[in-house]
């Protein structure tokens, strides 16, 4: 079996030859060493390792050194490297030729980022005990961390030479050669490993990697064939070969080998995905789509892989050429993975982008039943509620979302809007005022809050607050169309600041000359200013596209003021037939054939 490299950070006290367990001696008192003293000990570390064996320690010295060592190891485990080094360096001062002490000092320095001292003490440890693999591994790690790959490779080579049964580290050595792009050396090392361990998957895969870097495709393929021959019932080796053919534009071979994998495992999704990719390269769209659908039908294709593929479709939407395929694959994902919230989330995204908004909202809600922690999904639900003008749903969903995300300003905005639309103006104001305080760094949202507050305060007949809210909205965003339109209209209804109202409404109409709502607002401002001819012109333009009862009623009012009483009554009758939206005075106008304001 291959040994595990770099398993050194959790090396315990019990593995240290010659030292007791943590309860084997009294704890040493803290020892404060100056930076100069620590540096001096570090410089001496390499020299001490080369000296002849030190004198025998007295029993007291041995016990003191052991206690300090144990304390140092404990602090390494607690990640308090300053205290660890204080204890370990004191142990080193007593017994500098103990390999374990040098090793743990090196480890503490590595973990605290002091690579220079880590390297010195690690080298000392390997010289003091040339048969301990972990000492070499630590040294190699320090060297590799500093991108000293030549030194690290030499350390591994020495490890393999000096330590018995260390052939498993040939793989690490090969990786280091690969990191330096020393491909011949890496290949030679892998050949050495193959002689020692025989046919090993990792050796063949790494050899393939090297051969492909060397543009030796035939040799890489030959390694793949060796794997298949050694493991004739393992589809994964066949699939790896098929993928290599596909990646190197050997498309007929890729198809042949992928189909070979399907003979071993008839519903293998990876084989279908390889075939789909190849058919797509060959511009065989129908065949590619069929293979993808078969892959998606398999629970063995991981949900994350399916989501990744669906995200690729999302980037193409909306697109009539792929809309239905994306919807079908999303539906399959939900069916095959009915308890995965992410399946419903991505399906909802696809339904949204293909203009299936109501279905999308229902799908998002299913995702939230499985995992209600994703704010983005709540946001999508709320946006769709607003777009569909379903204020009851908007209120329910914003209330639920706010229980989880009370600091999200956007949720308070839509919650306030829902209350206002349901004529619960006080609740709307409360939500909007609270949410407004949460807005940071989003001037557009802040302006929208103030616009909605302007509407709500107007309905509460708190006109000073309404005007102030609109002014705040326009101070933040002078081009806020909703604020300009609503503010100017309500000023005209009240018959105040008509010049200001005309200026604002005219600005909106100039930007949106064909919008019937904005034309109606501008016309009503002109009406209030007794410019009936101008009002008529703009209302007639609005009525080319609008069937709104209020707009029709306004037109009748203008005609009445222009002396065209019969036409005015006819327009009022038409407004009555248009449905809700007309004023409460309309019935009285029709009864008396007279204008009331």
């Amino acid at each position: 079996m291959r040994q595990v490299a770099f398993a050194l950070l959790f090396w315990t006290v019990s593995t240290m030859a010659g030292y007791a367990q943590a309860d084997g001696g009294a704890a040493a008192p803290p020892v404060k060493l100056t930076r100069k003293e620590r540096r001096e000990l570090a410089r001496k570390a390499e020299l001490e390792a080369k000296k002849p064996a030190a004198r025998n320690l007295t029993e007291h010295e041995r016990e003191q050194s052991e206690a300090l060592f144990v304390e140092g190891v404990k602090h390494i485990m607690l990640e308090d490297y300053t205290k660890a080094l204080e204890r370990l360096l004191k142990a080193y001062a007593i017994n500098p030729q103990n390999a374990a002490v040098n090793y743990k000092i090196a480890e503490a320095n590595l973990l605290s980022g002091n690579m220079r001292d880590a390297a010195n003490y690690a080298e000392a440890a390997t010289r003091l005990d040339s048969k301990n693999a972990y000492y070499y591994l630590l040294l190699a790690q320090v060297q590799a961390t500093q991108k000293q790959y030549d030194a690290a490779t030499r350390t591994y080579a020495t490890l393999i030479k000096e330590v018995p049964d260390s052939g498993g580290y040939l793989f690490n050595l090969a990786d280091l050669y690969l990191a330096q792009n020393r491909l011949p050396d890496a290949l030679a090392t892998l050949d050495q490993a193959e002689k020692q361990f025989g046919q090993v998957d990792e050796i063949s895969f790494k050899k393939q990697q090297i051969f492909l870097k060397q543009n030796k495709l035939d040799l890489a393929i030959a390694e793949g064939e060796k794997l298949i021959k050694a493991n004739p019932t393992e589809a994964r080796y066949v699939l790896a070969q098929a993928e290599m053919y596909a990646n190197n534009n050997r498309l007929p071979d890729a198809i042949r080998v992928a189909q070979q994998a399907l003979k071993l495992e008839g519903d293998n999704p990876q084989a279908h995905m390889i075939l789909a990719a190849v058919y797509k390269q060959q511009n065989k769209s129908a065949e590619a789509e069929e293979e993808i659908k078969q892959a998606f039908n398999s629970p063995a294709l991981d949900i994350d892989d399916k989501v990744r593929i669906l995200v690729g479709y999302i980037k193409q939407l909306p697109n009539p050429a792929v809309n239905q395929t994306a919807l079908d694959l999303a539906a399959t994902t939900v069916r095959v993975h009915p308890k995965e919230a992410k399946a419903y989330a991505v399906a909802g995204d696809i339904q949204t982008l293909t203009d299936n908004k109501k279905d999308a909202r229902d799908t998002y809600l299913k995702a939230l039943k499985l995992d209600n922690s994703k704010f983005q999904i709540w946001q999508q639900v709320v946006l769709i509620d607003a777009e569909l003008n379903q204020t009851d749903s908007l209120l329910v969903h914003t209330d639920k979302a706010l229980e989880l995300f009370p600091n999200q300003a956007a949720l308070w905005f839509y919650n306030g809007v829902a209350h206002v639309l349901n004529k619960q103006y006080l609740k709307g104001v409360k939500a909007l005022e609270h949410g407004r305080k949460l807005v940071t760094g989003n001037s557009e949202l802040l302006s929208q809050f103030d616009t909605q507050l302007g509407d709500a305060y107007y309905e509460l007949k708190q006109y000073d607050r309404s005007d102030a809210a609109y002014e705040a909205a326009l101070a933040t965003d002078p081009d806020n169309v909703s604020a300009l339109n609503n503010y100017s209209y309500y000023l005209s209804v009240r018959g105040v600041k008509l010049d200001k109202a005309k200026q604002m409404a005219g600005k909106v109409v100039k930007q949106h000359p064909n919008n019937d709502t904005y034309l109606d607002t501008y016309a009503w401002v002109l009406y209030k200013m007794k410019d009936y001819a101008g009002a008529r012109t703009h209302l007639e333009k609005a009525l080319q596209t609008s069937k709104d009862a209020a707009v029709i009623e306004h037109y009748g009012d203008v005609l009445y003021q222009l002396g065209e009483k019969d036409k005015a009554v006819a327009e009022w009758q038409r407004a009555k037939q248009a449905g809700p939206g007309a004023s409460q005075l309309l019935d009285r106008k029709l009864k008396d054939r007279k204008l009331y304001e």
Side-chain angles (χ1 to χ4, degrees), residues 361-502:
R361 183 185 59 185
D362 294 342
T363 303
Y364 285 134
L365 289 171
K366 290 176 182 176
L368 291 171
K369 283 184 179 180
L370 294 167
D371 179 3
N372 65 1
S373 67
K374 300 296 187 290
F375 168 70
Q376 294 84 352
I377 302 178
W378 283 108
Q379 188 175 43
Q380 287 294 93
V381 169
V382 167
L383 289 172
I384 293 173
D385 284 337
E387 189 172 343
L388 296 176
N389 293 316
Q390 296 186 357
T391 55
D392 289 340
S393 295
L394 182 60
L395 196 55
V396 169
H397 293 143
T398 51
D399 281 342
K400 288 182 178 179
L402 283 168
E403 291 177 6
L404 298 165
F405 306 99
N407 294 323
Q408 287 291 341
L411 293 177
W412 285 106
F413 175 80
Y414 283 107
N415 185 260
V417 168
H419 281 302
V420 171
L421 292 174
N422 280 348
K423 303 187 185 305
Q424 298 171 322
Y425 302 117
L426 287 173
K427 289 184 177 180
V429 165
K430 184 177 180 181
L432 291 166
E433 290 285 14
H434 180 78
R436 187 186 187 281
K437 297 174 185 176
L438 299 174
V439 179
T440 56
N442 189 335
S443 59
E444 182 179 357
L445 180 58
L446 182 63
S447 184
Q448 290 300 324
F449 264 104
D450 286 324
T451 302
Q452 290 297 321
L453 282 166
D455 294 350
Y457 280 126
Y458 178 83
E459 296 295 343
L460 291 169
K461 298 184 173 21
Q462 297 182 25
Y463 300 130
D464 288 344
R465 288 187 174 183
S466 176
D467 291 355
Y470 286 131
E471 293 288 353
L474 293 171
T476 304
D477 179 7
D479 295 319
N480 183 329
V481 172
S482 295
L484 289 166
N485 178 75
N486 295 8
Y487 191 16
S488 60
Y489 181 74
Y490 288 138
L491 288 175
S492 70
V493 171
R494 290 159 54 199
V496 300
K497 302 179 185 178
L498 293 178
D499 288 337
K500 181 180 183 66
K502 181 180 179 181

Side-chain angles (χ1 to χ4, degrees), residues 137-187:
L137 293 175
L138 177 61
L139 177 58
Q141 183 178 2
V142 173
Q143 292 163 334
T145 300
Q146 299 178 89
K147 301 188 186 306
Q148 297 173 356
Y149 297 121
D150 284 341
T153 53
R154 289 194 297 271
T155 298
Y156 269 110
T158 304
L159 161 62
I160 293 163
K161 178 181 177 182
E162 294 291 336
V163 179
D165 301 320
S166 58
Y169 296 110
L170 287 165
F171 296 93
N172 303 71
L173 181 57
D175 287 340
L176 277 171
Y177 283 133
L178 284 171
Q180 301 171 79
N181 205 34
R182 292 169 58 178
L183 303 184
D185 290 330
L187 197 58

Side-chain angles (χ1 to χ4, degrees), residues 22-33:
D23 58 356
V31 179
K32 298 294 184 182
L33 296 175

Side-chain angles (χ1 to χ4, degrees), residues 63-289:
E63 290 177 355
Q64 187 179 18
S65 179
E66 288 177 359
L68 287 163
F69 176 82
V70 170
E71 279 288 300
V73 171
K74 181 186 75 174
H75 285 297
I76 288 178
M77 297 176 71
L78 294 172
E79 300 182 7
D80 188 343
Y81 305 122
T82 300
K83 289 183 179 179
L85 284 167
E86 286 177 358
R87 274 63 168 182
L88 291 168
L89 287 170
K90 184 61 177 177
Y92 174 87
I94 298 170
N95 190 7
Q97 293 201 344
N98 186 282
V101 171
N102 281 270
Y103 168 77
K104 295 309 287 186
I105 294 174
E107 182 183 341
N109 277 298
L110 169 65
L111 293 171
S112 60
N114 185 351
M115 296 300 161
R116 178 180 173 182
D117 287 353
N120 286 338
Y121 285 104
E123 286 178 3
T126 60
R127 291 191 182 98
L128 289 165
D129 183 356
S130 63
K131 302 301 180 184
N132 190 314
Y134 288 97
Y135 298 173
Y136 291 102
L137 293 175
L138 177 61
L139 177 58
Q141 183 178 2
V142 173
Q143 292 163 334
T145 300
Q146 299 178 89
K147 301 188 186 306
Q148 297 173 356
Y149 297 121
D150 284 341
T153 53
R154 289 194 297 271
T155 298
Y156 269 110
T158 304
L159 161 62
I160 293 163
K161 178 181 177 182
E162 294 291 336
V163 179
D165 301 320
S166 58
Y169 296 110
L170 287 165
F171 296 93
N172 303 71
L173 181 57
D175 287 340
L176 277 171
Y177 283 133
L178 284 171
Q180 301 171 79
N181 205 34
R182 292 169 58 178
L183 303 184
D185 290 330
L187 197 58
T189 303
L190 291 170
D191 285 338
Q192 185 180 346
E194 192 167 26
K195 289 177 182 176
Q196 183 167 343
F197 297 105
Q199 179 71 43
V200 177
D201 298 353
E202 186 175 354
I203 294 174
S204 290
F205 283 130
K206 287 186 182 297
K207 280 188 173 183
Q208 283 183 321
Q209 181 183 353
I210 293 168
F211 290 139
L212 290 172
K213 283 187 175 184
Q214 294 176 326
N215 294 316
K216 298 177 180 179
L217 180 59
D218 290 340
L219 290 177
I221 290 170
E223 284 296 328
E225 292 297 335
K226 282 168 59 177
L227 282 170
I228 294 171
K229 185 176 180 181
N231 305 273
T233 61
E234 289 282 351
R236 59 195 178 106
Y237 298 109
V238 182
L239 289 168
Q241 192 81 334
E243 196 162 0
M244 185 162 55
Y245 278 127
N247 291 338
N248 288 277
N249 209 33
R250 295 269 293 268
L251 303 186
D253 288 324
I255 293 173
R256 171 180 58 79
V257 178
Q259 290 173 341
Q260 180 183 341
L262 287 174
K263 290 178 182 177
L264 292 171
E265 294 181 7
D267 60 347
N268 187 290
Q270 188 181 351
H272 288 299
M273 291 305 301
I274 292 171
L275 288 170
V278 172
Y279 288 139
K280 186 176 181 180
Q281 284 183 263
Q282 294 178 327
N283 294 317
K284 296 179 178 179
S285 300
E287 290 89 340
E289 184 177 325

Side-chain angles (χ1 to χ4, degrees), residues 566-587:
D566 291 339
K567 288 184 178 180
V569 172
E571 291 302 318
W572 290 338
Q573 289 173 338
R574 195 159 72 91
K576 178 75 172 177
Q577 296 168 358
S583 73
Q584 296 178 352
L585 297 171
L586 181 59
D587 288 338

Side-chain angles (χ1 to χ4, degrees), residues 148 248 265 332 343 355 435 537 544:
Q148 297 173 356
N248 288 277
E265 294 181 7
T332 300
D355 203 29
T537 299
Q544 292 176 9

